[in-house]
Amino acid sequence: MPGKSSSYQSEVENIKKAERRLASGVPRLDYILKGGFLKGSIYSVIGPPGSGKTVYANQLCFNHASGRGRSVYISILVESITKMLGHIEDFTFFRPELVNSQIFYFSGYGILKSDGFRGLLTMIRNAVKEHQADLLILDGLESGISDRNGMLEFKEFIHELQGVTALLNCTTFLLSPANHDRTMPQNNLVDGIMEFTRDLLGPRSVHEVAIHKFRGSDFLQGKHEVEITDDGVQIHPRTEVQFADPPENATEERIRMGFGITSFDQMLTGGLLSGTCTVLLGAPGTGKTILGLHFLVEGAKQGQSGIYFGFYEPPPRLIEKAERLGLGLKKWVDEGLIQLIWQPPLEHYLDSLAEQLLEKLRTETQNVSRRRLFIDGVEGFRNANVYPDRASRFMSAFTNQLRMLDVTSLITEELPLFKPELDMPNPELANVVEGVVLLRYVELQSQIRRLLSIMKMRESEYDTGIREFKITGLGVEVTDSFTAEAVLTGQGRLIGPPSQAKPATKKKAKTKKKSAGKSRKGGRR
Amino acid sequence: MTSIMVVDDEYDIAQAIRGILEDEGFEVEVCANGRHALQCIKEKDKSFQLVLIDVMMPFMSGLDLLKQLRNDRRFAKVPVVLMNNTELKVNQDEHQWDGFLRKPFDCNSLIKTVSQFTEER
């Protein structure tokens, strides 16, 4: 286009693309489809009973009506429309005033029974034209195939339907209660196939959706989580597929993000590097949550916003705990600089958790730089994951997104309470984070002591010493280096009085392998 | 025997209404849409004491069928009960229906409404 800038041309191109698409309005489905369904196309939606097909189709109609679109919904199932409407009226998308004004419900069962597919096609054509619909739903089409209306007639019907709906520029969805394979006759003929599944994985019912075919456009492949809530069908694309190709982190001005604990910040050469992820590794009660709260509060003191994203302690209890230690968390929560997001201990969806957090971080524009995040703990994500082999890819994609958003993250990881060996339950986590800080109990002189050591800190110098730390009325206090042997095994031995020597400093130390120190029989010698 | 015509595209609803009304001793003719109803009226050449019509139907809406019936000498005075999933937003004086059943309705509401128009006659 002569005389027009390239940005203008790309804008025009985007508008043209958008005009060719029908937005579903179903959260994140259009993202999976790279912009929505192609107008005038015909799609097959398959899935077993109870997998969410009917809810999805109705949601589509109501969302479409919100944008002044008009839909015709023809049920070929024996179940009445009245009953179906009764089932969907509790969803938030349902608006009764749209029924029979912009969404027109008909039963096609009687026509199909008396006049076959030919009669049904006439009815469809008539209804779409009469009500000027640009969205058509045919629910329960498979039930129309019988001895009388054979497979050949059915295939011819689909062909003719494609022609009719293309001419009328009416985007069509064929809902089939199939749960076996994707070789149903219509699937060879349609422009796209969307499959809802519902499986029992252990005691858990897992709903998913997959796009198997989508003519004319790219799409996000594979299975994606589906949640059916009061708002209808919610889709959570797989995190590792969404962010498979992350751009390079553009943040150049890195700063140190301290904990407000002088000696610990010294060990970290001033604090964690901004835009990095660090794991706090430790058994229950070692002080991981308290250290994390220190991190958030110190940020707030510097005017940096922070988010606590936890699974165990509800906010009131967390505030109470922090107040007891004199951290002053409540003040920052009241001022809105620290947000406490608590996930009740229920069944969660892995991608939904990541999405919730990432969308929050993306949409918060106030004080967008130098934000702090404390995830307490990673087990919450692990418990939500129904496919163990996803863990590594998920964590990699998720932490990459946090870096891209210039968020400095601290993530807790639980170790067993009484186990001398250091087995990281999530070894893949250690690979994708920049830092690992270990908190450990050690038994010395009939005392249980807490030790802290930095096991790994990429891109930064750090103190390799092992320090004792105490939880006092003033929060966490880190003491001098600890002079003992084999303390990381949890079965340390004192080798002299505590050293007053300055701690050693290490530059880009190699990651320590997990110590598999076997306890000697007899315990302390 | 009192004859009632039921016009509804929802097969299960129409069959359920037929069953309930037959149990009550009525003779019931079921049609799947307005066109079928008009065809049935022509072919059978019989009179009905009451017509139950669903509003949202393919080919010919319930209101269009009602209009046709009111223009037919034989049906001008026959009571018509409309059935719909939502409240009607049209003028009753203009369309001249006699009763209304909001779907979903129960057996008692159906019998009560039907009795109201059949006993009067």
Side-chain angles (χ1 to χ4, degrees), chain B residues 51-90:
Chain B
V51 184
L52 297 176
I53 303 174
D54 179 36
V55 174
M56 285 307 297
M57 290 188 295
F59 297 119
M60 185 185 285
S61 76
L63 293 173
D64 287 341
L65 174 63
L66 176 59
K67 200 173 175 181
Q68 297 258 23
L69 292 180
R70 290 297 182 234
N71 291 334
D72 184 321
R73 189 173 41 80
R74 293 170 300 161
F75 284 91
K77 301 287 182 207
V78 173
V80 169
V81 172
L82 292 180
M83 305 179 287
N84 200 27
N85 289 311
T86 57
E87 290 300 330
L88 293 175
K89 293 167 191 160
V90 287

Side-chain angles (χ1 to χ4, degrees), chain A residues 161-409:
Chain A
L161 181 68
Q162 276 188 304
V164 167
T165 52
L167 278 174
L168 295 169
N169 197 26
C170 183
T171 314
T172 302
F173 292 85
L174 312 176
L175 274 53
S176 302
N179 60 353
H180 41 289
D181 57 18
R182 294 186 295 277
T183 58
M184 290 175 296
Q186 71 266 35
N187 290 345
N188 298 324
L189 310 171
V190 294
D191 299 305
I193 303 168
M194 184 175 175
E195 183 180 22
F196 284 93
T197 55
R198 191 193 56 180
D199 295 304
L200 284 174
L201 295 176
R204 219 181 139 162
S205 179
V206 177
H207 289 249
E208 287 166 323
V209 70
I211 309 295
H212 295 296
K213 172 180 172 181
F214 197 71
R215 283 184 189 149
S217 173
D218 187 17
F219 59 94
L220 288 189
Q221 309 243 359
K223 288 181 171 182
H224 306 283
E225 289 171 357
V226 171
E227 225 178 332
I228 301 173
T229 69
D230 290 348
D231 298 327
V233 167
Q234 313 283 307
I235 295 176
H236 308 294
R238 283 201 329 287
T239 306
E240 61 270 34
V241 178
Q242 273 191 81
F243 309 120
D245 193 13
E248 286 179 27
N249 192 342
T251 311
E252 287 177 11
E253 281 184 50
R254 314 282 293 278
I255 61 164
R256 293 285 175 173
M257 314 283 265
F259 283 75
I261 304 163
T262 310
S263 45
F264 184 43
D265 286 340
Q266 281 171 355
M267 287 175 80
L268 293 163
T269 330
L272 304 175
L273 264 177
S274 60
T276 59
C277 296
T278 302
V279 172
L280 272 181
L281 200 58
T286 45
K288 298 185 298 297
T289 302
I290 293 165
L291 209 51
L293 294 177
H294 257 283
F295 178 68
L296 293 180
V297 167
E298 178 59 17
K301 284 176 183 170
Q302 295 175 27
Q304 297 161 354
S305 63
I307 292 176
Y308 167 90
F309 191 83
F311 296 87
Y312 311 112
E313 293 174 274
R317 191 172 292 184
L318 206 63
I319 288 171
E320 187 189 319
K321 182 183 201 167
E323 293 309 297
R324 270 203 315 269
L325 296 167
L327 287 180
L329 175 68
K330 190 176 184 302
K331 172 182 182 282
W332 302 112
V333 171
D334 291 345
E335 286 185 20
L337 214 50
I338 294 177
Q339 293 177 68
L340 305 179
I341 304 171
W342 175 60
Q343 306 296 319
L346 305 168
E347 280 184 356
H348 294 290
Y349 287 82
L350 179 66
D351 297 303
S352 172
L353 289 172
E355 202 172 84
Q356 193 186 140
L357 195 45
L358 293 172
E359 284 184 2
K360 184 161 195 63
L361 289 164
R362 268 193 221 105
T363 53
E364 278 185 353
T365 50
Q366 52 144 14
N367 196 9
V368 287
S369 62
R370 314 306 182 197
R371 287 175 297 174
R372 298 181 181 217
L373 169 67
F374 175 41
I375 297 175
D376 192 20
V378 79
E379 301 79 29
F381 284 87
R382 195 187 306 123
N383 295 339
N385 181 16
V386 292
Y387 301 111
D389 65 331
R390 278 191 62 195
S392 165
R393 294 191 301 276
F394 169 84
M395 284 314 301
S396 177
F398 178 56
T399 52
N400 264 336
Q401 285 304 300
L402 295 174
R403 284 182 198 98
M404 273 178 51
L405 293 162
D406 195 26
V407 173
T408 311
S409 313

Side-chain angles (χ1 to χ4, degrees), chain A residues 78 80-82 100 106-107 111, chain B residues 9-10 12 33 56 84-85:
Chain A
V78 179
S80 77
I81 283 158
T82 306
N100 299 343
F106 301 107
S107 171
I111 290 284
Chain B
D9 62 323
E10 291 192 69
D12 61 331
N33 57 58
M56 285 307 297
N84 200 27
N85 289 311

